[in-house]
Structure formats: structure tokens, C-alpha cells
Amino acid sequence: MIETWNKYKKIFNVIALLIAWAGLYSVMPAIGEKGINPSYTTEAVIALVLAAGFVVYILPLLVSGADSFRIFITSPIFRRRWGKFKTLKRGYYAFLLIIALFVLSLFAEFFINGNAIMVKYQGSYYFTLFRFISARTFGMRGYGNPNYRMMKDVFSVRNKERAERIKAGNASEEDLKYEQWGDDWVWLPIYPYSPLESLLDELPTRPPHPPTWLTGEWRKAYIGESLYQLPDSLPTPEEITEKFKRPDWVDLEPAALYLEMAHAGMLKLKPEVREPGTFQHILGTDDRGRDVFARMVYGFRTSLSFSLVVTFCCYLIGITIGALLGYYGGLFDIIMQRFVEIWSAMPFLYTVMIFAAIMIPNFWMLVVILVMFKWMGMTYYIRAEFLREKSRDYVSAARAIGCTDGAIIFRHILPNSLTPVISFAPFAVVADIGALVSLDFLGFGLPAPTPSWGELLGQGLANLTKPWLILSPTLAMFLTLLLVSFIGEAIREAFDPKQYSRLR
Amino acid sequence: MYSYFIRRFLLMIPTFIGITFLCFTVTRFVPGGPVEQAVLRYQQAMANTSEGGGGTSDSAMEQGQISEEMMQQLKAIYGFDKPFYIAYLHWLWRVLHFDLGTSDTYSRPVWDLIKEKFPISIIFGLTGFTLSYLICIPLGVWKAVKHGSAFDTGSSVMVFIAYSIPGWTAGVLLLMLLGGNAFLDIVPSGGKESGYITEKSKLSMFLQQGALAVDLPAEIRSQYPKLRDNQQISANHPAFAHVPSEKRFQLKTGGHADLNFVGRLLDSMWHMILPVFCYVLGMFASKTVLMKNSLMENLGQDYVRTAFAKGLSERTVIFKHALRNSLIPIATGLGHMLSIILAGSYLIEKVFNINGFGLLGYESLIARDYPVTLGILVIGSMLKLFGNIMSDVLYCIIDPRIRFS
């Protein structure tokens, strides 16, 4: 791996420079909007300088680090421990399940999305999943993003009407063209609702809407907004006892009687009310009428990617600094240790809250803020590992045959000191998910429309009578954290086994 | 040894300066600070008055524009007229004299606000903290003694569950389930005491005698101008003693202050159940596992073998020899008690709407009330720094083998 890299170093560096430049430049306008950064040229130059710095100073570190990680995971001792991990069924299956769910959630757009995957209209095919196509293109009203669910219904009605016209022999010119084109169709994802899409126009009652299979809750909402068609006259006592077979309803006031009848499903909704299907919104909608299930799935993706990125960055910084401290020691070690000590004395949650509240961060800024106050944890372990490994014979041997410091660090010591990294990672992921959910709950997390569990919990706290707003995020978070901690437990047992011996 | 602690104390100074300087600078350089907000409020007020038809002659005033002079005055009010490092030094100087400034939203000294809210958080947090020790230590010990048994496995399930559900999340869930909102109604839905006790409530049996404010003698009445004529006062009110005995009556309804001592205690305890449960849940998993592992480790040591070999009973070996040593890591955690409590309070107090330190910090951030924010940061970081030293001191006291250098 490292040999391939060295062989094509120049090409790879240029590619990395371009990617980093483009990436940094695309992040920059976010700063520019706030008036710190005046012009695009300046932005491009700053991005180029930063990208060059990245390629010269950080990229070699990353590549060598990745190579040490490769040495670490291909070593026989890792293989043996991994074999042990595989035998711990609970942790191993939790690991497979989380990986599968995460990979699946990366493709969530294909399963849970208000945009259609593909549309056939007048003989042409449109791939609509990631593209904005005006509603007008498909012969619908308006210039915005079309409502593909409605379009599917409209298309099927039009198709049917056209078939009838052709059958009756009074086909128009367009109808004849359709003979060649074939029928129009819309290919919707399995769960055709987006996490950001407000469904206020499509659902009859006010949000938050209950899960659609909770018929009783819906009926309550229908009564609350008088969407029922009341009969012309009150049912007579005889009708109630004989037709409805509910003698206990006879003495009820009219309002209470209608309530009971609505609950029993005996009343009809007004004709203009469109009732949702039983499994249309399986977890209901939130207080802005957005589908909760879609938000949960996208929230899972956001939480997990966020925590993985934060853990990765924290470990990158922690390992680098810990390795430098442990390997070089001396004055640098003393000063830096004091600094780490000072930095860890910050009240973590409140400092992060201050930064997040004042800066109103996006995803990457929030990552930076969290990493800024969390990277210290790993330095202690790596520093201790380096201090221990440095005095081993194989390091002296490596030095005797003339290895450089870089080679000793990356090829010899680092692969031997990565065990704590592996065994702490799952618990760090749990902590990061918790931190993100807490920040989102307090309203200092990801910006407003981003689907997130914490934001949903915050809504739940404001609507305590709507259990689906609380149960869904709590359960989702509980199950995710449980799976991750199963993994953590199994990894700890496989990688850091403590054999407790007892006399009796 | 002493030099170690002196060094630690000296190290507190740069730490404190570093933390506060960082946060002070952030509050300075990010838009949307108090000056901008004041300008916005002023402009909105001006827009409202001009809509109301008040024909002001000054066109600049009408548009809600702010003159340079006014801007300077505003900046001076909020202390933004000086460069940030000078302002920081001024702020630091005042902090050293225990003056944390005046809150922008409450118009009260920050120090008074904190003194008022801090005990509330401490009562909730300390109860939770103590309870968690009382539960986790015996549980951890029992799990270690019965390692591998059905009890150990069963309680491990509980530990996993507690680890996977953050305390405050469980709080939201329980508030929904038990707080009388969607399912059961057995605990109050937040706050630290009942606002209004109806006749139906069981607490009404603890209501005291009371009287109407109108029955107070006139000269006493004038001392309490805030009382309305038909307002009830209870026996806890200082003016109650002056009410003639024939005018007194048994209260039927009332608030927390109208209860007698037992009633107030019960009411407060009733409100503490869920928040305290959340604090305990937050600390449960880590503490139980720490206790168990620590005892397990000690039980494998040679001195335990020796103790067994010389014929001591299992009870003596575990409780007199091993347990004492394995309590060391648990006991040092006591040093961090206050900072752990405060970290939990930001979320738990928000969930249960308890008007304490955490909620004050949260609301000051929402309102961009920087003096309060920085004041809370000062107290929080001081407690954390002292906590670090405290746990080292505890370590030394408990474990004489430890020598810091």
C-alpha cells in the first residue's frame, strides 16, 4: 500500500490538492456570508493555501497513519483477537447489524424520499431523485418541485381516461401520440415522504399527526376539527338500542353521543376530507407536519456519521499529540501535558453550549467545536503506550539498523499501540451520539430543518400529550446506543481481556 | 507532596484565565451580541410607535436609525467600547473582586442570581448523587461477589439499559408516561414545588390555617403593599400572627407556601422523584461497573490469597480487606461531585423546568445575556478545577501509598 503511494506520490498529491482545494472552497461561502470574507478571489487563494498546507503537512501523516493501521490490523495478534470477537455472538451480530443499517441509511434517499426515483412522461424518461425538475415539465401546475405522490395519482387517472377515449373511438391527437409513447408513470420510493417536507396540505387535521394506524387518535382529531358529517337528526333511542346495540348510549347528550359514535366508526367523514392510508405515516408527523419515520431514519444517519467523524478526528489529533509526547518527551512533553491538563479542565458541555449557541454552526462547524474540546482523552493512553514501547528491544533494533524517527513511529511503535484506540472507539461513539442529541435537544445543535433525534425530543417535551414524538426518538436512540455498547463490550473482552482469578 | 499541591494550585491560574479568555473572546467577536440586540429592540420599538401614528419630526428617529453618539453610549453600557483584551482585563479585575457584573435580562447582579439558583441545583443533584452511591456500591459489590451468577447477568442487563439511555432522555419519557400527560398521573409534570393545590389533591390535608389579607390590622397591612384584599395568607406568612383568631379559618386550597412543614417536605419530595431518578440513572452504569471491576481486581490480588490462606472467613476477606482497597477509585470520584452535578443540571433542569443553575445558564445563552453566561462559566470552571484538586487530595488521604510528585 505505502509502496504504491510512494510510486505515484506526485500524482496522488496533485489529486489530493485539487480535492482539498475544491472542498475547502465549497465550505468557504458559509464564512463569506457573514461578511468576514469579502471576495471570491480571496476565498480561492485562502483555500489554495490551506489545501497546500494540508497536502504538505497533514497528508503524509494521514498516509503513514493509515499504513500503521494496516500493519496493526494485518498482524497475527489482531487476527486472533478479531477471531475472539467473532465468537462473542452478541457483539458480533450487533456490529454486523449496525454496519448494515448504516450502509442502508447512506442510501436512504432511494427508499425514503418524497422525490420520485424515475418518471416517464410523454415517452421521455426523467431521473428525478437528485434533480430539481419543475412541475410544469410534467404538465402539472406551478414551477416548484412537483408533488410526485399527487402526480402518480393524476397520471393513473389520465391514463385510464385516455384508454377509455381510445376505446370509444374519440381519441385526440395527443392520445394517438401516446400509442407510441406508452403510458406515463412515476416510480416512487417505498416510503414516499421526505424528512424536510411539510405535509400540511395533504393531511386533514392539524399537526402533530398521530401514527396513521392509531385510528382512535385520528378520530379524536377529526371530531376536534369537526370533520365529521353529522346525520340530519339525532338517532332515536330505539335506533340506538336495536340498530347500534348500545343501550348505554341512550341517556347521552348529543355531543357525547356523536363522540361515541365517531369512536365506534359509525360516522362518515365529510366528502372533501382525504383520509390517510393505514400505513401512510407509521410514526405520525411532527409539529410542522413532517413525517417522523423519515426524520428518524435520516436522523440515524446524521447521528452516526456525526459521531464517527468526531471520534475519528478526536483520535487523529489525540494519537498524533500523544505519540509526539511519548516519543520525544522532554520539555515539549512537559509543556504540552500542562496544556492538555488546562484544556481538559473546561466544563465540557457548557463550553460547547456557549460556542454552539453563539456561532449557530452547521454540521462541520459542530464537528470542529466538539473535537476542539474532546481530543484530549486519547493522548494519555497513546502517550503511555509510546513511553512503554519506546524502551522495548525491537525499537532499539530498529534504531540500530538506522531507521528514521518517522519509520520507528509509524512502522514499529504505532502499530503496537493501537489497541486502546480500538477498544475505546465504541464508547466514544456512544458519548458523541449522546452529546449531539443533547445539543440538538437544547437547540444548540445542527441548524433548524436538519432531521435529528434531539430536536424531535425537544418537540416531544413541548407536546407531552403526543407520545409518538417522544417514544420514536427515545427508542431509536436506545436501540442504537445499546447495539454500539454491545459492540464495545465484546471488543473490550476480545482486545483487552482481564482474567479475574479468584480463590473461591 | 506539598509542592505538588502548590503547583496544582498555581496551575489553576493559567487554566482559569485560558478558559475565560477563550469564551470572553467568542462572545465579543460573533455578531448578534447584546449591542446588536439592543439596536434591534430599539428599531422595533421605533417602528411600532411610528406605525401608531405618532408623527415624530426627526426623520432619522422615525426610521429607527441610531446616531453615532447613541451607538457609543450603547456600547459603553454593555462594555463594548474598549478593545476586547482591555475589556477582558477589566472583567477579570472585577471577577477577582467577586463582581460578576449585572445581568442584561434580569437587571440584577449576576452573583445574586447564582447565589439564588445554586442551592436548588445542589439539592436535586446532591440527592441524586448520594442515592447513586447508596445503590451502586452495594450492587457493584454484590455483582463482584456473585460474579458469573444469574444475579450478575440480570443486573448487567440493567446496566446496559441504563448506559444506553441518557438520564435526561428517560426524564422526558417518564414525564410523558407518568406525568399525567398521556398515560398515568402519579408524578408532577415539572417544577420544584406545586403552584396550586386543589381540594382534590391529597396534599390539601396538610394545608394550614389561613386568613384573608383584608382582615389584617391596617398598620400591618401597609407593610405588605403587594397583598390584594381577597388574597389568602397562611400561617407561614409573617403577618399572620396579627390576624385576630376569630377571623382565621382552615384553608381549602392554596400554594406550596400555605402547606405546613410536613406538607412542604412531602410536596418537594414528590417533585424530586423524577429529576433525582434521572441523576441516578445518569451515573448508575459507570459507577456500578467501576465498583464491580475494582473489587474483582482486588479479589485477584495476592494479599487476598494470603488472607484466605491464614484462615479468615470470606466475609472478613471481602469486606475488611478487598472492599476497602477497591473503594479508592469510587471515593476519589467524590471530588468531582459538584462539576458532575452541574453538567447534569443543564439538561435535567431544562426537562423538568426546575429554576436552578443549569436552567439559568441555558436561558442566558438563549437571551445572549453574556454577563450571566460568563458568570456561570466562571463558577463551573472553578468548581471543576477545585474538583480536580479535591480528588487528588482524597486520593492521598484514602490511599497512603500514593505519593504525588
Side-chain angles (χ1 to χ4, degrees):
Chain A
M1 194 177 111
I2 193 86
E3 288 77 19
T4 329
W5 174 270
N6 285 335
K7 206 169 162 191
Y8 302 108
K9 202 172 180 180
K10 279 181 189 154
I11 304 170
F12 282 136
N13 276 346
V14 170
I15 295 171
L17 182 72
L18 290 176
I19 293 174
W21 191 16
L24 284 166
Y25 185 73
S26 69
V27 182
M28 285 229 160
I31 311 169
E33 273 166 10
K34 292 199 176 137
I36 295 170
N37 200 342
S39 80
Y40 291 111
T41 333
T42 331
E43 263 175 28
V45 171
I46 293 174
L48 183 60
V49 171
L50 289 176
F54 170 78
V55 169
V56 174
Y57 291 107
I58 301 184
L59 196 62
L61 278 181
L62 286 180
V63 173
S64 321
D67 194 49
S68 335
F69 196 72
R70 184 189 60 84
I71 299 173
F72 171 61
I73 60 172
T74 47
S75 67
I77 189 159
F78 182 89
R79 292 261 169 86
R80 206 173 55 234
R81 286 165 170 177
W82 189 250
K84 174 90 194 301
F85 173 68
K86 276 184 172 176
T87 61
L88 301 166
K89 292 288 175 230
R90 191 172 64 186
Y92 184 58
Y93 288 131
F95 177 72
L96 292 184
L97 189 60
I98 280 277
I99 296 281
L101 286 177
F102 185 57
V103 170
L104 215 59
S105 81
L106 291 180
F107 298 98
E109 272 86 357
F110 293 91
F111 307 110
I112 299 167
N113 202 334
N115 271 7
I117 297 172
M118 209 171 147
V119 172
K120 188 186 175 197
Y121 179 68
Q122 298 197 333
S124 332
Y125 295 93
Y126 298 86
F127 291 93
T128 46
L129 195 56
F130 297 110
R131 269 171 65 201
F132 166 74
I133 297 177
S134 162
R136 176 84 25 146
T137 320
F138 300 120
M140 313 284 288
R141 244 179 286 153
Y143 292 96
N145 200 32
N147 181 336
Y148 288 101
R149 296 179 295 273
M150 201 170 81
M151 206 162 92
K152 188 174 185 176
D153 297 344
V154 170
F155 278 8
S156 74
V157 170
R158 279 192 199 159
N159 287 342
K160 207 181 280 172
E161 282 173 0
R162 189 181 310 118
E164 273 165 19
R165 279 203 299 275
I166 293 170
K167 214 175 184 183
N170 51 1
S172 70
E173 220 170 286
E174 204 192 52
D175 292 349
L176 293 174
K177 280 188 195 165
Y178 266 99
E179 300 264 87
Q180 292 177 359
W181 290 339
D183 278 347
D184 294 340
W185 47 254
V186 178
W187 179 16
L188 285 174
I190 304 166
Y191 196 83
Y193 298 95
S194 292
L196 301 184
E197 189 184 21
S198 178
L199 302 160
L200 295 178
D201 303 340
E202 289 176 42
L203 292 168
T205 56
R206 253 172 271 155
H209 303 96
T212 36
W213 43 271
L214 280 177
T215 343
E217 289 288 321
W218 277 90
R219 284 175 182 162
K220 245 191 259 172
Y222 291 145
I223 300 167
E225 296 179 33
S226 47
L227 296 178
Y228 276 113
Q229 221 172 4
L230 298 183
D232 299 329
S233 58
L234 268 172
T236 55
E238 293 81 60
E239 261 185 320
I240 293 173
T241 42
E242 274 155 40
K243 223 169 107 193
F244 301 166
K245 303 224 167 23
R246 297 288 173 89
D248 45 326
W249 287 2
V250 174
D251 298 328
L252 289 178
E253 297 280 309
L257 177 65
Y258 283 137
L259 197 82
E260 290 289 340
M261 285 174 68
H263 266 285
M266 291 174 182
L267 289 180
K268 257 192 197 154
L269 285 168
K270 285 178 182 168
E272 70 269 19
V273 180
R274 267 191 73 185
E275 213 180 346
T278 320
F279 297 109
Q280 191 169 320
H281 302 290
I282 49 176
L283 295 179
T285 70
D286 71 358
D287 66 357
R288 288 171 192 77
R290 299 170 297 200
D291 187 88
V292 170
F293 178 69
R295 288 183 76 76
M296 301 292 304
V297 173
Y298 283 83
F300 172 77
R301 179 166 85 179
T302 324
S303 310
L304 211 56
S305 6
F306 180 83
S307 57
L308 288 175
V309 170
V310 170
T311 310
F312 178 77
C313 295
C314 283
Y315 280 10
L316 211 61
I317 299 177
I319 292 171
T320 313
I321 294 191
L324 291 178
L325 294 186
Y327 187 76
Y328 291 108
L331 191 65
F332 175 65
D333 182 31
I334 292 172
I335 293 173
M336 205 58 195
Q337 253 195 302
R338 288 292 93 79
F339 178 74
V340 169
E341 208 170 295
I342 289 176
W343 206 250
S344 344
M346 297 230 181
F348 171 73
L349 185 63
Y350 199 61
T351 325
V352 170
M353 270 164 71
I354 293 178
F355 272 74
I358 292 175
M359 293 173 127
I360 310 173
N362 57 20
F363 185 91
W364 290 105
M365 284 236 284
L366 201 63
V367 168
V368 170
I369 292 175
L370 234 70
V371 169
M372 218 161 83
F373 297 105
K374 264 198 100 158
W375 57 268
M376 298 81 71
M378 208 16 83
T379 47
Y380 299 117
Y381 294 105
I382 295 292
R383 180 176 168 275
E385 291 278 331
F386 263 69
L387 279 178
R388 204 179 59 218
E389 297 291 321
K390 202 167 71 168
S391 53
R392 292 273 169 90
D393 288 342
Y394 69 87
V395 177
S396 318
R399 199 167 284 136
I401 59 167
C403 281
T404 57
D405 279 353
I408 293 175
I409 291 178
F410 285 113
R411 299 213 62 133
H412 298 284
I413 305 185
L414 194 56
N416 281 313
S417 33
L418 283 173
T419 305
V421 175
I422 292 286
S423 52
F424 284 114
F427 300 107
V429 168
V430 168
D432 290 336
I433 293 181
L436 178 68
V437 174
S438 314
L439 284 176
D440 278 340
F441 171 75
L442 293 173
F444 303 136
L446 299 168
T450 319
S452 87
W453 295 343
E455 189 251 9
L456 208 54
L457 262 173
Q459 284 187 25
L461 185 65
N463 297 286
L464 279 170
T465 48
K466 317 278 189 241
W468 60 93
L469 290 184
I470 296 170
L471 284 172
S472 330
T474 320
L475 263 176
M477 192 166 134
F478 172 65
L479 291 177
T480 312
L481 296 190
L482 193 68
L483 287 179
V484 179
S485 47
F486 280 160
I487 301 171
E489 186 63 19
I491 285 188
R492 204 196 52 72
E493 209 171 317
F495 281 76
D496 189 17
K498 278 206 180 92
Q499 290 299 330
Y500 295 116
S501 58
R502 267 199 66 191
L503 221 56
R504 59 179 94 167
Chain B
M1 188 79 154
Y2 287 110
S3 71
Y4 174 80
F5 283 111
I6 291 169
R7 213 166 58 231
R8 286 300 295 264
F9 267 106
L10 289 179
L11 205 64
M12 274 176 71
I13 299 167
T15 312
F16 181 75
I17 293 177
I19 296 170
T20 49
F21 184 71
L22 192 73
C23 292
F24 191 88
T25 320
V26 172
T27 60
R28 277 309 177 107
F29 284 105
V30 175
V35 176
E36 277 95 335
Q37 291 206 340
V39 170
L40 204 67
R41 275 200 300 274
Y42 173 76
Q43 282 171 344
Q44 275 168 355
M46 287 316 289
N48 287 341
T49 48
S50 60
E51 267 168 32
T56 38
S57 53
D58 194 336
S59 65
M61 288 284 276
E62 207 167 306
Q63 287 160 13
Q65 279 174 1
I66 291 189
S67 65
E68 195 56 34
E69 192 188 343
M70 264 176 85
M71 198 68 190
Q72 286 307 322
Q73 280 176 355
L74 262 179
K75 281 187 175 175
I77 289 174
Y78 293 106
F80 274 61
D81 52 343
K82 298 180 228 38
F84 75 97
Y85 47 91
I86 305 281
Y88 175 72
L89 288 179
H90 278 276
W91 178 81
L92 195 65
W93 184 248
R94 279 190 284 123
V95 169
L96 290 179
H97 292 82
F98 296 99
D99 174 15
L100 293 171
T102 311
S103 159
D104 295 340
T105 42
Y106 297 92
S107 304
R108 285 176 56 195
V110 176
W111 190 242
D112 287 0
L113 278 173
I114 290 177
K115 266 195 289 194
E116 183 184 309
K117 313 276 186 190
F118 196 66
I120 300 170
S121 303
I122 291 301
I123 289 173
F124 279 87
L126 210 57
T127 318
F129 203 80
T130 320
L131 264 180
S132 74
Y133 267 83
L134 289 180
I135 295 170
C136 297
I137 293 179
L139 185 64
V141 170
W142 201 239
K143 274 170 73 71
V145 172
K146 298 270 168 193
H147 178 64
S149 70
F151 172 79
D152 185 32
T153 324
S155 53
S156 290
V157 174
M158 260 166 60
V159 169
F160 264 121
I161 291 175
Y163 185 72
S164 309
I165 188 158
W168 61 272
T169 321
V172 183
L173 187 69
L174 291 175
L175 212 47
M176 185 267 289
L177 293 175
L178 310 177
N181 293 297
F183 296 103
L184 298 173
D185 185 6
I186 48 177
V187 288
S189 57
K192 65 183 172 65
E193 53 196 33
S194 297
Y196 187 70
I197 295 158
T198 58
E199 289 177 54
K200 279 181 195 164
S201 161
K202 289 209 171 65
L203 279 169
S204 62
M205 72 168 97
F206 297 106
L207 283 168
Q208 294 195 316
Q209 280 205 323
L212 290 179
V214 75
D215 296 328
L216 279 171
E219 70 275 13
I220 306 287
R221 181 74 206 285
S222 57
Q223 292 174 15
Y224 301 99
K226 275 186 185 166
L227 288 176
R228 279 171 283 110
D229 271 354
N230 56 352
Q231 193 170 338
Q232 287 180 354
I233 56 169
S234 72
N236 293 328
H237 198 277
F240 182 76
H242 305 284
V243 180
S245 57
E246 69 274 11
K247 295 279 176 65
R248 296 177 183 179
F249 55 88
Q250 176 62 39
L251 291 173
K252 290 271 193 307
T253 59
H256 177 81
D258 301 329
L259 295 165
N260 62 20
F261 179 72
V262 179
R264 270 177 294 167
L265 199 69
L266 283 176
D267 187 39
S268 296
M269 277 165 64
W270 188 48
H271 280 81
M272 278 172 77
I273 295 174
L274 279 191
V276 166
F277 176 79
C278 293
Y279 275 109
V280 173
L281 190 69
M283 303 178 225
F284 176 76
S286 55
K287 233 170 242 176
T288 311
V289 170
L290 181 66
M291 184 66 229
K292 185 196 166 182
N293 288 349
S294 163
L295 185 56
M296 293 288 290
E297 213 158 282
N298 273 297
L299 285 177
Q301 299 279 327
D302 286 343
Y303 72 88
V304 170
R305 188 187 300 264
T306 315
F308 274 122
K310 74 176 185 184
L312 292 180
S313 71
E314 186 169 6
R315 175 179 285 270
T316 324
V317 175
I318 291 173
F319 289 99
K320 251 188 135 172
H321 294 248
L323 183 59
R324 278 191 176 187
N325 279 313
S326 52
L327 278 175
I328 292 168
I330 294 271
T332 48
L334 279 172
H336 293 292
M337 182 171 66
L338 285 180
S339 43
I340 290 176
I341 288 175
L342 289 189
S345 75
Y346 297 114
L347 289 155
I348 292 178
E349 286 180 8
K350 168 82 168 52
V351 170
F352 293 104
N353 199 17
I354 299 164
N355 200 0
F357 192 76
L359 200 63
L360 180 71
Y362 168 76
E363 279 172 353
S364 76
L365 274 175
I366 296 280
R368 297 282 167 99
D369 188 349
Y370 291 148
V372 178
T373 307
L374 289 171
I376 291 211
L377 184 77
V378 167
I379 303 291
S381 43
M382 285 307 277
L383 286 175
K384 186 145 189 196
L385 291 171
F386 274 112
N388 284 345
I389 295 183
M390 271 296 289
S391 62
D392 281 356
V393 172
L394 278 172
Y395 219 148
C396 281
I397 294 172
I398 300 167
D399 191 349
R401 290 169 298 183
I402 296 291
R403 290 279 179 275
F404 287 109
S405 58

